Short mmCIF file of all heavy atoms in Angstrom, two decimals:
data_model
loop_
_atom_site.label_atom_id
_atom_site.label_comp_id
_atom_site.label_asym_id
_atom_site.label_seq_id
_atom_site.Cartn_x
_atom_site.Cartn_y
_atom_site.Cartn_z
N THR V 317 -8.56 12.36 -2.40
CA THR V 317 -7.59 11.72 -1.45
C THR V 317 -7.96 10.25 -1.22
O THR V 317 -9.10 9.87 -1.63
CB THR V 317 -7.60 12.41 -0.06
OG1 THR V 317 -8.89 12.14 0.50
CG2 THR V 317 -7.37 13.92 -0.20
N GLY V 318 -7.05 9.49 -0.66
CA GLY V 318 -7.38 8.11 -0.36
C GLY V 318 -8.57 7.98 0.55
O GLY V 318 -9.45 7.05 0.41
N ASN V 319 -8.63 8.88 1.55
CA ASN V 319 -9.78 8.84 2.44
C ASN V 319 -11.12 9.13 1.78
O ASN V 319 -12.18 8.59 2.10
CB ASN V 319 -9.53 9.83 3.62
CG ASN V 319 -8.45 9.28 4.58
OD1 ASN V 319 -8.31 8.05 4.74
ND2 ASN V 319 -7.69 10.21 5.20
N GLU V 320 -11.10 10.10 0.85
CA GLU V 320 -12.34 10.47 0.07
C GLU V 320 -12.75 9.25 -0.77
O GLU V 320 -13.96 8.96 -0.81
CB GLU V 320 -12.11 11.66 -0.76
CG GLU V 320 -11.98 12.97 0.11
CD GLU V 320 -11.55 14.17 -0.74
OE1 GLU V 320 -10.94 14.02 -1.82
OE2 GLU V 320 -11.91 15.29 -0.36
N ALA V 322 -12.16 6.23 -0.26
CA ALA V 322 -12.67 5.14 0.69
C ALA V 322 -14.15 5.42 1.07
O ALA V 322 -14.91 4.46 1.21
CB ALA V 322 -11.80 5.04 1.95
N ALA V 323 -14.46 6.68 1.22
CA ALA V 323 -15.91 7.00 1.61
C ALA V 323 -16.77 6.54 0.41
O ALA V 323 -17.87 5.94 0.63
CB ALA V 323 -16.05 8.49 1.81
N THR V 351 -6.81 0.79 8.11
CA THR V 351 -5.66 0.94 9.04
C THR V 351 -5.94 2.11 9.95
O THR V 351 -6.72 3.02 9.62
CB THR V 351 -4.30 1.16 8.25
OG1 THR V 351 -4.46 2.37 7.46
CG2 THR V 351 -4.03 -0.02 7.36
N THR V 352 -5.28 2.12 11.09
CA THR V 352 -5.64 3.07 12.14
C THR V 352 -5.20 4.52 11.82
O THR V 352 -5.77 5.43 12.44
CB THR V 352 -4.92 2.65 13.54
OG1 THR V 352 -5.40 3.53 14.54
CG2 THR V 352 -3.44 2.73 13.38
N VAL V 353 -4.38 4.80 10.79
CA VAL V 353 -4.09 6.12 10.39
C VAL V 353 -5.02 6.61 9.28
O VAL V 353 -4.89 7.74 8.79
CB VAL V 353 -2.56 6.28 9.93
CG1 VAL V 353 -1.66 6.03 11.10
CG2 VAL V 353 -2.29 5.34 8.80
N SER V 354 -5.95 5.77 8.86
CA SER V 354 -6.87 6.15 7.80
C SER V 354 -8.15 6.77 8.40
O SER V 354 -8.39 6.71 9.58
CB SER V 354 -7.23 4.90 7.02
OG SER V 354 -6.06 4.29 6.53
N SER V 355 -8.94 7.36 7.49
CA SER V 355 -10.21 8.01 7.89
C SER V 355 -11.10 7.05 8.69
O SER V 355 -11.18 5.89 8.42
CB SER V 355 -10.91 8.54 6.66
OG SER V 355 -12.18 9.03 7.05
N LYS V 356 -11.87 7.63 9.64
CA LYS V 356 -12.86 6.85 10.37
C LYS V 356 -14.22 6.89 9.70
O LYS V 356 -15.21 6.54 10.31
CB LYS V 356 -12.95 7.42 11.83
CG LYS V 356 -11.67 7.71 12.55
CD LYS V 356 -10.97 6.45 12.94
CE LYS V 356 -9.68 6.75 13.74
NZ LYS V 356 -8.48 6.15 13.11
N ILE V 357 -14.29 7.28 8.42
CA ILE V 357 -15.58 7.40 7.74
C ILE V 357 -16.31 6.04 7.72
O ILE V 357 -17.52 6.02 7.87
CB ILE V 357 -15.44 7.99 6.32
CG1 ILE V 357 -16.82 8.25 5.67
CG2 ILE V 357 -14.59 7.12 5.40
CD1 ILE V 357 -17.70 9.21 6.32
N LEU V 358 -15.55 4.91 7.54
CA LEU V 358 -16.23 3.63 7.50
C LEU V 358 -16.86 3.32 8.86
O LEU V 358 -17.87 2.62 8.91
CB LEU V 358 -15.24 2.53 7.12
CG LEU V 358 -14.62 2.59 5.67
CD1 LEU V 358 -13.76 1.40 5.42
CD2 LEU V 358 -15.66 2.74 4.63
N ARG V 359 -16.20 3.76 9.92
CA ARG V 359 -16.77 3.57 11.25
C ARG V 359 -18.17 4.26 11.39
O ARG V 359 -19.11 3.72 11.88
CB ARG V 359 -15.85 4.15 12.33
CG ARG V 359 -16.32 3.89 13.76
CD ARG V 359 -15.31 4.49 14.75
NE ARG V 359 -15.24 5.89 14.68
CZ ARG V 359 -14.37 6.66 15.46
NH1 ARG V 359 -13.49 6.06 16.17
NH2 ARG V 359 -14.38 7.96 15.30
N ALA V 360 -18.21 5.51 10.81
CA ALA V 360 -19.47 6.20 10.86
C ALA V 360 -20.56 5.58 10.05
O ALA V 360 -21.75 5.45 10.45
CB ALA V 360 -19.24 7.63 10.36
N PHE V 369 -17.06 -2.58 11.81
CA PHE V 369 -15.85 -1.90 11.28
C PHE V 369 -14.70 -2.21 12.24
O PHE V 369 -14.86 -2.21 13.48
CB PHE V 369 -16.05 -0.38 11.24
CG PHE V 369 -14.80 0.39 10.99
CD1 PHE V 369 -14.15 0.29 9.83
CD2 PHE V 369 -14.24 1.12 12.02
CE1 PHE V 369 -12.94 0.99 9.58
CE2 PHE V 369 -13.04 1.81 11.84
CZ PHE V 369 -12.38 1.79 10.61
N GLU V 371 -10.23 -1.79 12.91
CA GLU V 371 -8.96 -1.11 12.54
C GLU V 371 -7.81 -2.10 12.70
O GLU V 371 -7.80 -2.97 13.55
CB GLU V 371 -8.74 0.06 13.44
CG GLU V 371 -9.55 1.23 13.08
CD GLU V 371 -9.15 2.51 13.85
OE1 GLU V 371 -8.50 2.42 14.91
OE2 GLU V 371 -9.42 3.58 13.34
N PHE V 397 -9.28 -0.63 3.32
CA PHE V 397 -8.41 0.35 2.69
C PHE V 397 -7.37 0.92 3.68
O PHE V 397 -7.46 0.79 4.85
CB PHE V 397 -9.27 1.51 2.18
CG PHE V 397 -9.59 2.65 3.11
CD1 PHE V 397 -8.86 3.83 3.07
CD2 PHE V 397 -10.53 2.48 4.13
CE1 PHE V 397 -9.18 4.84 3.95
CE2 PHE V 397 -10.86 3.49 4.97
CZ PHE V 397 -10.11 4.71 4.93
N GLU V 399 -5.19 4.84 3.84
CA GLU V 399 -5.36 6.19 3.26
C GLU V 399 -4.38 6.47 2.10
O GLU V 399 -4.65 7.31 1.29
CB GLU V 399 -5.22 7.25 4.38
CG GLU V 399 -3.98 7.24 5.18
CD GLU V 399 -2.74 7.66 4.42
OE1 GLU V 399 -2.82 8.62 3.65
OE2 GLU V 399 -1.67 7.02 4.57
N TYR V 443 -20.95 12.47 3.08
CA TYR V 443 -20.59 13.24 4.35
C TYR V 443 -21.81 13.81 5.03
O TYR V 443 -21.89 13.92 6.21
CB TYR V 443 -19.58 14.31 3.97
CG TYR V 443 -18.20 13.85 3.63
CD1 TYR V 443 -17.38 14.44 2.71
CD2 TYR V 443 -17.66 12.69 4.37
CE1 TYR V 443 -16.09 13.93 2.54
CE2 TYR V 443 -16.36 12.26 4.09
CZ TYR V 443 -15.56 12.88 3.20
OH TYR V 443 -14.33 12.44 2.93
N GLY V 447 -21.81 12.31 8.39
CA GLY V 447 -20.93 13.18 9.12
C GLY V 447 -19.66 13.49 8.36
O GLY V 447 -19.06 12.61 7.75
N TYR V 448 -19.31 14.78 8.31
CA TYR V 448 -18.08 15.17 7.58
C TYR V 448 -16.84 14.54 8.28
O TYR V 448 -16.68 14.58 9.53
CB TYR V 448 -17.93 16.69 7.55
CG TYR V 448 -18.63 17.28 6.36
CD1 TYR V 448 -19.89 17.84 6.47
CD2 TYR V 448 -17.97 17.25 5.11
CE1 TYR V 448 -20.51 18.37 5.37
CE2 TYR V 448 -18.68 17.79 4.00
CZ TYR V 448 -19.91 18.32 4.12
OH TYR V 448 -20.52 18.85 3.03
N HIS V 449 -16.00 14.01 7.43
CA HIS V 449 -14.69 13.50 7.95
C HIS V 449 -13.64 14.14 7.09
O HIS V 449 -13.43 13.80 5.90
CB HIS V 449 -14.61 11.97 7.75
CG HIS V 449 -15.36 11.22 8.84
ND1 HIS V 449 -16.72 11.38 8.96
CD2 HIS V 449 -14.99 10.37 9.80
CE1 HIS V 449 -17.11 10.66 9.94
NE2 HIS V 449 -16.12 10.03 10.49
N ILE V 450 -13.00 15.21 7.62
CA ILE V 450 -12.07 16.00 6.81
C ILE V 450 -10.65 15.67 7.29
O ILE V 450 -10.38 15.86 8.50
CB ILE V 450 -12.39 17.54 6.95
CG1 ILE V 450 -13.78 17.75 6.37
CG2 ILE V 450 -11.38 18.36 6.25
CD1 ILE V 450 -14.35 19.05 6.63
N SER V 451 -9.83 15.26 6.38
CA SER V 451 -8.48 14.84 6.84
C SER V 451 -7.42 15.43 5.98
O SER V 451 -7.65 15.88 4.91
CB SER V 451 -8.44 13.27 6.77
OG SER V 451 -8.73 12.85 5.48
N LYS V 452 -6.28 15.46 6.59
CA LYS V 452 -5.04 15.88 5.81
C LYS V 452 -3.89 15.03 6.23
O LYS V 452 -3.68 14.70 7.45
CB LYS V 452 -4.73 17.40 6.17
CG LYS V 452 -3.44 17.79 5.47
CD LYS V 452 -3.40 19.33 5.27
CE LYS V 452 -2.02 19.85 4.91
NZ LYS V 452 -1.42 19.25 3.71
N THR V 453 -3.16 14.56 5.23
CA THR V 453 -1.99 13.72 5.44
C THR V 453 -0.82 14.33 4.66
O THR V 453 -0.98 14.76 3.59
CB THR V 453 -2.31 12.34 4.79
OG1 THR V 453 -3.41 11.76 5.50
CG2 THR V 453 -1.08 11.36 5.03
N PHE V 521 -2.80 11.06 18.96
CA PHE V 521 -3.40 11.96 19.94
C PHE V 521 -4.88 12.16 19.59
O PHE V 521 -5.21 12.47 18.46
CB PHE V 521 -2.73 13.37 19.87
CG PHE V 521 -1.24 13.27 20.15
CD1 PHE V 521 -0.32 13.22 19.09
CD2 PHE V 521 -0.73 13.24 21.44
CE1 PHE V 521 1.01 13.11 19.31
CE2 PHE V 521 0.66 13.19 21.65
CZ PHE V 521 1.51 13.12 20.60
N THR V 522 -5.73 12.00 20.56
CA THR V 522 -7.15 12.31 20.40
C THR V 522 -7.44 13.62 21.13
O THR V 522 -7.13 13.71 22.36
CB THR V 522 -8.04 11.21 20.95
OG1 THR V 522 -7.67 9.97 20.28
CG2 THR V 522 -9.55 11.46 20.67
N PHE V 523 -8.00 14.59 20.42
CA PHE V 523 -8.22 15.90 20.99
C PHE V 523 -9.63 16.10 21.41
O PHE V 523 -10.55 15.43 20.92
CB PHE V 523 -7.82 16.99 19.98
CG PHE V 523 -6.35 17.06 19.67
CD1 PHE V 523 -5.77 16.28 18.65
CD2 PHE V 523 -5.50 17.93 20.38
CE1 PHE V 523 -4.45 16.32 18.38
CE2 PHE V 523 -4.15 17.91 20.11
CZ PHE V 523 -3.66 17.18 19.09
N ASN V 525 -11.57 18.42 20.74
CA ASN V 525 -12.48 18.97 19.70
C ASN V 525 -12.86 17.93 18.66
O ASN V 525 -13.45 18.29 17.65
CB ASN V 525 -11.80 20.21 19.02
CG ASN V 525 -10.51 19.77 18.23
OD1 ASN V 525 -10.21 18.58 18.19
ND2 ASN V 525 -9.90 20.76 17.60
N GLY V 526 -12.54 16.64 18.87
CA GLY V 526 -12.96 15.61 17.95
C GLY V 526 -11.91 15.28 16.89
O GLY V 526 -12.17 14.44 16.02
N CYS V 527 -10.74 15.91 16.94
CA CYS V 527 -9.76 15.62 15.97
C CYS V 527 -8.86 14.43 16.42
O CYS V 527 -8.64 14.34 17.67
CB CYS V 527 -8.86 16.86 15.75
SG CYS V 527 -7.59 16.59 14.54
N VAL V 528 -8.42 13.64 15.52
CA VAL V 528 -7.49 12.55 15.83
C VAL V 528 -6.28 12.79 14.99
O VAL V 528 -6.36 12.98 13.75
CB VAL V 528 -8.11 11.14 15.51
CG1 VAL V 528 -7.08 10.06 15.83
CG2 VAL V 528 -9.39 10.94 16.30
N ALA V 529 -5.10 12.79 15.60
CA ALA V 529 -3.83 13.07 14.80
C ALA V 529 -2.80 11.98 15.19
O ALA V 529 -2.64 11.66 16.32
CB ALA V 529 -3.34 14.44 15.10
N THR V 530 -2.09 11.50 14.13
CA THR V 530 -1.03 10.49 14.33
C THR V 530 0.24 10.99 13.74
O THR V 530 0.25 11.54 12.63
CB THR V 530 -1.44 9.19 13.69
OG1 THR V 530 -2.66 8.65 14.38
CG2 THR V 530 -0.31 8.15 13.82
N TYR V 542 2.47 12.73 8.99
CA TYR V 542 1.40 13.10 9.94
C TYR V 542 0.03 12.87 9.30
O TYR V 542 -0.12 13.07 8.11
CB TYR V 542 1.61 14.48 10.55
CG TYR V 542 1.50 15.63 9.49
CD1 TYR V 542 0.26 16.19 9.15
CD2 TYR V 542 2.68 16.16 8.95
CE1 TYR V 542 0.19 17.22 8.27
CE2 TYR V 542 2.58 17.22 8.03
CZ TYR V 542 1.37 17.75 7.73
OH TYR V 542 1.27 18.73 6.82
N TYR V 543 -0.88 12.48 10.12
CA TYR V 543 -2.27 12.24 9.67
C TYR V 543 -3.20 12.92 10.64
O TYR V 543 -3.06 12.72 11.89
CB TYR V 543 -2.62 10.73 9.77
CG TYR V 543 -1.57 9.82 9.10
CD1 TYR V 543 -0.39 9.50 9.69
CD2 TYR V 543 -1.89 9.24 7.85
CE1 TYR V 543 0.48 8.62 9.15
CE2 TYR V 543 -1.00 8.39 7.20
CZ TYR V 543 0.23 8.06 7.92
OH TYR V 543 1.09 7.20 7.31
N ALA V 544 -4.10 13.72 10.13
CA ALA V 544 -5.00 14.37 11.11
C ALA V 544 -6.45 14.42 10.47
O ALA V 544 -6.58 14.53 9.30
CB ALA V 544 -4.61 15.80 11.35
N GLU V 545 -7.42 14.20 11.34
CA GLU V 545 -8.80 14.15 10.81
C GLU V 545 -9.76 14.69 11.82
O GLU V 545 -9.70 14.46 12.98
CB GLU V 545 -9.21 12.68 10.46
CG GLU V 545 -10.65 12.61 9.98
CD GLU V 545 -11.01 11.21 9.43
OE1 GLU V 545 -10.75 10.20 10.14
OE2 GLU V 545 -11.51 11.14 8.26
N MET V 546 -10.70 15.55 11.30
CA MET V 546 -11.80 16.02 12.12
C MET V 546 -12.98 15.16 11.75
O MET V 546 -13.38 15.01 10.61
CB MET V 546 -12.21 17.46 11.66
CG MET V 546 -11.25 18.58 12.10
SD MET V 546 -11.05 18.81 13.87
CE MET V 546 -12.70 19.39 14.34
N CYS V 547 -13.54 14.51 12.81
CA CYS V 547 -14.71 13.67 12.58
C CYS V 547 -15.93 14.35 13.16
O CYS V 547 -16.01 14.56 14.38
CB CYS V 547 -14.58 12.30 13.31
SG CYS V 547 -13.02 11.47 12.86
N ALA V 548 -16.83 14.83 12.28
CA ALA V 548 -18.00 15.61 12.80
C ALA V 548 -19.27 14.66 12.74
O ALA V 548 -19.27 13.71 12.02
CB ALA V 548 -18.21 16.78 11.92
N LEU V 558 -15.00 23.43 10.02
CA LEU V 558 -14.24 22.26 10.30
C LEU V 558 -12.82 22.25 9.68
O LEU V 558 -11.81 21.91 10.33
CB LEU V 558 -14.97 20.96 9.83
CG LEU V 558 -16.34 20.66 10.51
CD1 LEU V 558 -17.12 19.64 9.70
CD2 LEU V 558 -16.13 20.24 11.94
N GLU V 561 -10.53 24.70 11.56
CA GLU V 561 -10.17 24.12 12.81
C GLU V 561 -9.05 23.12 12.62
O GLU V 561 -8.06 23.08 13.30
CB GLU V 561 -11.36 23.46 13.45
CG GLU V 561 -11.18 22.83 14.80
CD GLU V 561 -11.23 23.84 15.95
OE1 GLU V 561 -11.10 25.03 15.79
OE2 GLU V 561 -11.41 23.36 17.11
N LEU V 562 -9.19 22.24 11.58
CA LEU V 562 -8.17 21.26 11.26
C LEU V 562 -6.86 21.90 10.87
O LEU V 562 -5.78 21.48 11.29
CB LEU V 562 -8.65 20.32 10.12
CG LEU V 562 -7.76 19.15 9.72
CD1 LEU V 562 -7.56 18.14 10.92
CD2 LEU V 562 -8.22 18.46 8.55
N ARG V 563 -6.93 22.95 10.08
CA ARG V 563 -5.76 23.62 9.60
C ARG V 563 -4.92 24.17 10.74
O ARG V 563 -3.70 23.98 10.86
CB ARG V 563 -6.14 24.79 8.65
CG ARG V 563 -4.90 25.42 7.93
CD ARG V 563 -5.34 26.65 7.08
NE ARG V 563 -5.88 27.73 7.92
CZ ARG V 563 -5.15 28.52 8.72
NH1 ARG V 563 -3.81 28.34 8.80
NH2 ARG V 563 -5.72 29.49 9.43
N LEU V 565 -5.06 23.21 13.87
CA LEU V 565 -4.57 22.17 14.72
C LEU V 565 -3.32 21.59 14.14
O LEU V 565 -2.32 21.31 14.88
CB LEU V 565 -5.64 21.14 14.93
CG LEU V 565 -5.27 20.08 16.01
CD1 LEU V 565 -6.51 19.78 16.95
CD2 LEU V 565 -4.67 18.81 15.48
N ILE V 566 -3.26 21.39 12.84
CA ILE V 566 -2.09 20.82 12.15
C ILE V 566 -0.90 21.78 12.32
O ILE V 566 0.23 21.33 12.62
CB ILE V 566 -2.38 20.48 10.68
CG1 ILE V 566 -3.29 19.27 10.60
CG2 ILE V 566 -1.06 20.21 9.95
CD1 ILE V 566 -3.79 19.02 9.15
N LEU V 569 0.40 21.25 15.73
CA LEU V 569 1.01 19.92 15.84
C LEU V 569 2.48 20.02 15.29
O LEU V 569 3.39 19.56 15.87
CB LEU V 569 0.17 18.96 15.00
CG LEU V 569 0.50 17.47 15.16
CD1 LEU V 569 -0.10 16.94 16.44
CD2 LEU V 569 -0.18 16.72 13.99
#
Side-chain angles (χ1 to χ4, degrees):
T317 66
N319 287 330
E320 289 172 333
T351 60
T352 186
V353 294
S354 302
S355 171
K356 313 288 180 237
I357 185 65
L358 297 184
R359 183 181 65 188
F369 168 69
E371 282 192 338
F397 87 103
E399 56 70 42
Y443 284 147
Y448 272 98
H449 284 61
I450 297 171
S451 56
K452 177 159 167 53
T453 300
F521 303 95
T522 303
F523 292 88
N525 65 1
C527 181
V528 179
T530 297
Y542 65 85
Y543 309 78
E545 179 170 50
M546 289 295 295
C547 306
L558 295 166
E561 182 84 340
L562 182 66
R563 188 187 63 74
L565 191 138
I566 289 170
L569 191 76

